[in-house]
Amino acid sequence: MMSGKYTKSEHSYRILTAHPDDEILISGLVQRLISTGSNIDFVCLTDGNQKTPGDIRIKELEKSLSIMGYEKPLNRILEEKKIYDAVLNGDDEGLLGLMDEAVGIISQGLEAYDRLLVPDFSGGHFVHDLVHYLAAA
């Protein structure tokens, strides 16, 4: 049985999610990492604006992370609507450009972290699958 006390972590983590609300599924892990003094960088691939205005989703994400103890500025990469538009319009070149941009931002400063955490959402929503593809790139 775990005692609730954790030893100080020697690791640093970049956490990559598809869009706001995914952090909820790993909230316990995020709180634990923060409580052990781990260096964490949270990157959210999109603003989740396909159905709900992105600014609302981002504010909700920032509040959620704040409750977990995450106090750094949020790293957000792309407008989700741009990804959907590129896919629905068959704009392969536009989609590849967005993915190149995302890989550049994900990899920027990555050497400061010795762990990359990507919650397992494979299958289903294609933006989740896209996060796995980008993490592997």
Coordinates of all heavy atoms in Angstrom, one line a residue, residues 14-17 45 77 99-100 102-104 106-107 110 115-119 122 127-137:
R14 N 8.0 16.2 -20.5 CA 7.2 17.0 -21.4 C 5.9 16.1 -21.6 O 6.0 15.0 -21.9 CB 7.8 17.3 -22.7 CG 6.9 18.0 -23.6 CD 7.6 18.7 -24.8 NE 8.2 19.9 -24.3 CZ 9.0 20.6 -25.0 NH1 9.4 20.3 -26.2 NH2 9.6 21.8 -24.5
I15 N 4.8 16.7 -21.3 CA 3.5 16.0 -21.4 C 2.8 16.6 -22.7 O 2.6 17.8 -22.8 CB 2.6 16.2 -20.2 CG1 3.3 15.6 -18.9 CG2 1.3 15.5 -20.4 CD1 2.7 15.9 -17.6
L16 N 2.4 15.7 -23.6 CA 1.8 16.1 -24.8 C 0.4 15.5 -24.9 O 0.2 14.3 -24.8 CB 2.7 15.6 -26.0 CG 2.2 15.9 -27.4 CD1 2.0 17.4 -27.7 CD2 3.1 15.2 -28.4
T17 N -0.6 16.4 -25.1 CA -2.0 16.0 -25.2 C -2.6 16.5 -26.5 O -2.0 17.4 -27.1 CB -2.9 16.4 -24.0 OG1 -2.9 17.8 -24.0 CG2 -2.4 15.9 -22.7
L45 N -1.7 20.0 -28.1 CA -1.6 20.1 -29.5 C -2.5 21.1 -30.1 O -2.2 21.9 -31.0 CB -1.8 18.8 -30.2 CG -1.8 18.8 -31.7 CD1 -0.4 19.2 -32.3 CD2 -2.2 17.4 -32.3
I77 N -0.3 24.7 -29.5 CA 0.3 24.7 -30.8 C -0.6 25.1 -31.9 O -0.3 26.1 -32.6 CB 0.9 23.3 -31.1 CG1 1.9 22.9 -30.0 CG2 1.5 23.2 -32.5 CD1 2.4 21.5 -30.1
M99 N 1.6 20.0 -39.5 CA 2.3 19.0 -38.8 C 3.8 19.3 -38.6 O 4.4 19.1 -37.6 CB 2.2 17.6 -39.5 CG 0.7 17.1 -39.6 SD -0.1 17.1 -38.0 CE -1.0 18.6 -38.0
D100 N 4.4 19.9 -39.7 CA 5.8 20.4 -39.5 C 5.9 21.4 -38.5 O 6.9 21.4 -37.7 CB 6.3 20.9 -40.9 CG 6.6 19.9 -41.9 OD1 6.7 18.7 -41.5 OD2 6.7 20.2 -43.1
A102 N 4.0 21.8 -35.9 CA 3.8 21.1 -34.6 C 5.0 20.4 -34.1 O 5.4 20.5 -33.0 CB 2.6 20.1 -34.7
V103 N 5.6 19.6 -35.0 CA 6.9 18.9 -34.7 C 8.0 19.9 -34.3 O 8.7 19.6 -33.3 CB 7.4 18.0 -35.9 CG1 8.8 17.5 -35.6 CG2 6.4 16.9 -36.1
G104 N 8.1 21.0 -34.9 CA 9.1 22.0 -34.5 C 8.8 22.5 -33.1 O 9.8 22.6 -32.4
I106 N 7.0 21.0 -30.7 CA 7.2 19.9 -29.7 C 8.7 19.6 -29.5 O 9.1 19.4 -28.3 CB 6.5 18.6 -30.3 CG1 5.0 18.8 -30.3 CG2 6.9 17.4 -29.4 CD1 4.3 17.7 -31.1
S107 N 9.5 19.6 -30.5 CA 10.9 19.3 -30.3 C 11.7 20.5 -29.8 O 12.8 20.3 -29.3 CB 11.5 18.8 -31.6 OG 11.4 19.8 -32.6
L110 N 13.2 20.2 -26.3 CA 13.0 18.9 -25.8 C 14.1 18.2 -25.1 O 14.0 17.4 -24.2 CB 12.5 18.0 -27.0 CG 12.0 16.6 -26.6 CD1 10.8 16.7 -25.7 CD2 11.6 15.8 -27.9
R115 N 11.9 12.7 -20.4 CA 10.7 11.8 -20.6 C 9.7 12.6 -21.4 O 9.5 13.8 -21.1 CB 10.1 11.4 -19.2 CG 11.0 10.7 -18.2 CD 11.1 9.2 -18.6 NE 11.7 8.4 -17.6 CZ 13.0 8.2 -17.5 NH1 13.9 8.8 -18.3 NH2 13.5 7.4 -16.5
L116 N 9.1 11.9 -22.3 CA 7.9 12.4 -23.1 C 6.7 11.6 -22.7 O 6.7 10.4 -23.0 CB 8.2 12.4 -24.6 CG 7.1 12.9 -25.5 CD1 6.8 14.4 -25.2 CD2 7.5 12.7 -26.9
L117 N 5.7 12.2 -22.1 CA 4.5 11.4 -21.8 C 3.4 11.8 -22.7 O 3.1 13.0 -22.9 CB 4.1 11.8 -20.3 CG 5.1 11.4 -19.2 CD1 4.5 11.9 -17.9 CD2 5.3 9.9 -19.2
V118 N 2.8 10.8 -23.3 CA 1.7 11.0 -24.2 C 0.5 10.0 -23.8 O 0.7 8.8 -23.9 CB 2.0 10.6 -25.7 CG1 0.9 10.9 -26.6 CG2 3.3 11.4 -26.1
P119 N -0.5 10.6 -23.2 CA -1.6 9.7 -22.8 C -2.1 8.9 -23.9 O -2.2 9.3 -25.1 CB -2.7 10.7 -22.3 CG -2.0 12.0 -22.0 CD -0.8 12.0 -23.0
S122 N -5.0 6.2 -28.5 CA -5.0 5.7 -29.8 C -6.3 5.1 -30.2 O -7.0 4.4 -29.5 CB -3.8 4.7 -30.0 OG -4.0 3.6 -29.1
V127 N -7.4 13.2 -33.9 CA -6.4 14.1 -33.4 C -5.6 13.4 -32.3 O -4.4 13.7 -32.2 CB -7.0 15.4 -32.9 CG1 -6.0 16.4 -32.2 CG2 -7.7 16.2 -34.0
H128 N -6.2 12.5 -31.6 CA -5.4 11.7 -30.6 C -4.4 10.9 -31.3 O -3.2 10.8 -30.9 CB -6.3 10.9 -29.8 CG -7.2 11.6 -28.9 ND1 -7.7 11.1 -27.7 CD2 -7.6 12.9 -28.9 CE1 -8.5 12.0 -27.1 NE2 -8.4 13.1 -27.8
D129 N -4.8 10.3 -32.4 CA -3.8 9.5 -33.2 C -2.7 10.3 -33.7 O -1.5 9.9 -33.8 CB -4.5 8.8 -34.4 CG -5.5 7.7 -33.9 OD1 -5.4 7.2 -32.8 OD2 -6.4 7.4 -34.7
L130 N -3.0 11.5 -34.1 CA -2.1 12.5 -34.7 C -1.0 12.8 -33.6 O 0.2 12.9 -33.9 CB -2.8 13.7 -35.1 CG -2.0 14.8 -35.9 CD1 -1.4 14.2 -37.1 CD2 -2.9 15.9 -36.2
V131 N -1.4 12.9 -32.4 CA -0.4 13.2 -31.3 C 0.6 12.1 -31.2 O 1.8 12.4 -31.0 CB -1.2 13.4 -30.0 CG1 -0.2 13.4 -28.8 CG2 -1.9 14.8 -30.0
H132 N 0.1 10.9 -31.3 CA 1.1 9.7 -31.3 C 2.0 9.8 -32.4 O 3.2 9.5 -32.3 CB 0.3 8.4 -31.2 CG -0.4 8.1 -29.9 ND1 0.2 7.4 -29.0 CD2 -1.5 8.6 -29.4 CE1 -0.6 7.3 -27.9 NE2 -1.6 8.0 -28.2
Y133 N 1.5 10.1 -33.6 CA 2.4 10.2 -34.8 C 3.4 11.3 -34.6 O 4.6 11.1 -34.9 CB 1.5 10.5 -36.0 CG 2.3 10.9 -37.2 CD1 3.0 10.0 -38.0 CD2 2.4 12.3 -37.6 CE1 3.7 10.4 -39.1 CE2 3.1 12.6 -38.7 CZ 3.8 11.7 -39.4 OH 4.5 12.1 -40.5
L134 N 3.0 12.4 -34.1 CA 3.9 13.6 -33.9 C 5.0 13.3 -32.8 O 6.1 13.7 -33.0 CB 3.1 14.8 -33.6 CG 2.3 15.4 -34.7 CD1 1.4 16.5 -34.2 CD2 3.1 15.9 -35.9
A135 N 4.5 12.6 -31.8 CA 5.5 12.2 -30.7 C 6.6 11.3 -31.2 O 7.7 11.4 -30.8 CB 4.8 11.6 -29.6
A136 N 6.2 10.4 -32.2 CA 7.2 9.5 -32.7 C 8.1 10.2 -33.7 O 9.2 9.7 -34.0 CB 6.4 8.4 -33.4
A137 N 7.6 11.3 -34.3 CA 8.4 12.0 -35.3 C 9.6 12.7 -34.6 O 10.6 12.9 -35.0 CB 7.6 13.1 -36.0

